[in-house]
Amino acid sequence: TQLLEQSPQFLSIQEGENLTVYCNSSSVFSSLQWYRQEPGEGPVLLVTVVTGGEVKKLKRLTFQFGDARKDSSLHITAAQPGDTGLYLCAGARSNYQLIWGAGTKLIIKP
Amino acid sequence: GAGVSQSPSNKVTEKGKDVELRCDPISGHTALYWYRQRLGQGLEFLIYFQGNSAPDKSGLPSDRFSAERTGESVSTLTIQRTQQEDSAVYLCASSLYLGQNYGYTFGSGTRLTVV
């Protein structure tokens, strides 16, 4: 079974701080997606990274796909309370299936 | 519709009863997926449908679980003889096509509690 490990599992920081969340695997993925999930809602797609070494920015969020396409990171600059949520990464195999990480629960305290 | 709609949003049932969960995907989305999410955990794949192709049922945990979809419309997930370990949020997602480059749009889920 191919697994995606996310770290940390839980992170609580003050508003304005920076943070990085990691998504690691021993397997190669053809692409990787990041989602954010808020309580009582389904996950919402933030970004898809496809190319090894690719970096995508979404306002204060920076996503990077590892050169070997086995890992990814999400960096948030100057975190805001609105960034609070469960961040999930999901890696795509050569077919349709997404392999999901267990998530990082992020709390930003005002 | 504008988004993926799931019903009911909450369901409490007695152990041993059957339940039926419904998912109405985004109009025009050919692929539909069912996932299970236990409290504080990631998503567990259950089944997917793509157009009129045979569904991939490889993620269904037991023969008590089944799902149907008519064409590219509504899907129902049925759990027979529910057990307490079935308690979870059941999420449905759809995407325009099947494939890695198409992001999923999720519904808000059905929270199932088996007592």
Side-chain angles (χ1 to χ4, degrees):
Chain A
T1 303
Q2 297 170 330
L3 296 176
L4 265 176
E5 294 189 0
Q6 288 191 241
S7 60
Q9 292 182 322
F10 179 80
L11 185 59
S12 178
I13 61 173
Q14 291 293 138
E15 179 178 1
E17 295 184 10
N18 301 332
L19 66 108
T20 303
V21 173
Y22 299 93
C23 178
N24 295 301
S25 175
S26 58
S27 301
V28 175
F29 293 101
S30 49
S31 67
L32 194 135
Q33 299 176 359
W34 283 93
Y35 291 77
R36 182 171 71 206
Q37 184 178 23
E38 299 187 23
E41 299 294 328
V44 175
L45 178 66
L46 297 174
V47 77
T48 301
V49 284
V50 180
T51 307
E54 181 177 3
V55 176
K56 281 192 173 178
K57 291 191 174 184
L58 187 66
K59 295 183 181 179
R60 293 175 294 99
L61 278 61
T62 301
F63 303 86
Q64 184 164 9
F65 201 12
D67 290 341
R69 290 184 289 127
K70 294 182 179 181
D71 54 83
S72 182
S73 64
L74 158 59
H75 182 78
I76 301 180
T77 303
Q80 304 294 313
D83 297 327
T84 292
L86 179 68
Y87 288 81
L88 294 159
C89 65
R93 299 192 239 180
S94 57
N95 59 10
Y96 62 90
Q97 277 221 33
L98 288 182
I99 306 299
W100 292 81
T104 292
K105 186 172 183 180
L106 177 63
I107 295 176
I108 309 299
K109 295 176 284 187
Chain B
V4 176
S5 178
Q6 290 188 245
S7 62
S9 54
N10 282 285
K11 177 71 177 179
V12 180
T13 189
E14 292 181 352
K15 178 181 173 181
K17 300 278 190 182
D18 297 352
V19 295
E20 190 173 278
L21 313 180
R22 176 187 168 106
C23 173
D24 201 342
I26 291 175
S27 178
H29 278 195
T30 64
L32 184 148
Y33 314 83
W34 282 98
Y35 284 88
R36 180 168 68 181
Q37 186 176 32
R38 292 202 165 96
L39 186 64
Q41 297 188 18
L43 276 64
E44 176 187 1
F45 168 75
L46 297 177
I47 187 171
Y48 93 92
F49 298 87
Q50 167 60 40
N52 294 316
S53 302
D56 180 341
K57 305 179 181 180
S58 61
L60 294 178
S62 78
D63 58 8
R64 296 187 295 106
F65 288 72
S66 63
E68 292 183 348
R69 186 186 188 194
T70 304
E72 296 181 357
S73 61
V74 172
S75 175
T76 56
L77 176 68
T78 301
I79 308 173
Q80 296 178 308
R81 305 181 302 283
T82 52
Q83 304 294 314
Q84 287 185 328
E85 64 260 27
D86 299 334
S87 295
V89 175
Y90 289 82
L91 289 163
C92 174
S94 69
S95 63
L96 186 59
Y97 297 108
L98 187 70
Q100 59 175 309
N101 293 324
Y102 297 97
Y104 295 4
T105 301
F106 282 86
S108 297
T110 293
R111 180 175 298 278
L112 176 66
T113 304
V114 181
V115 298

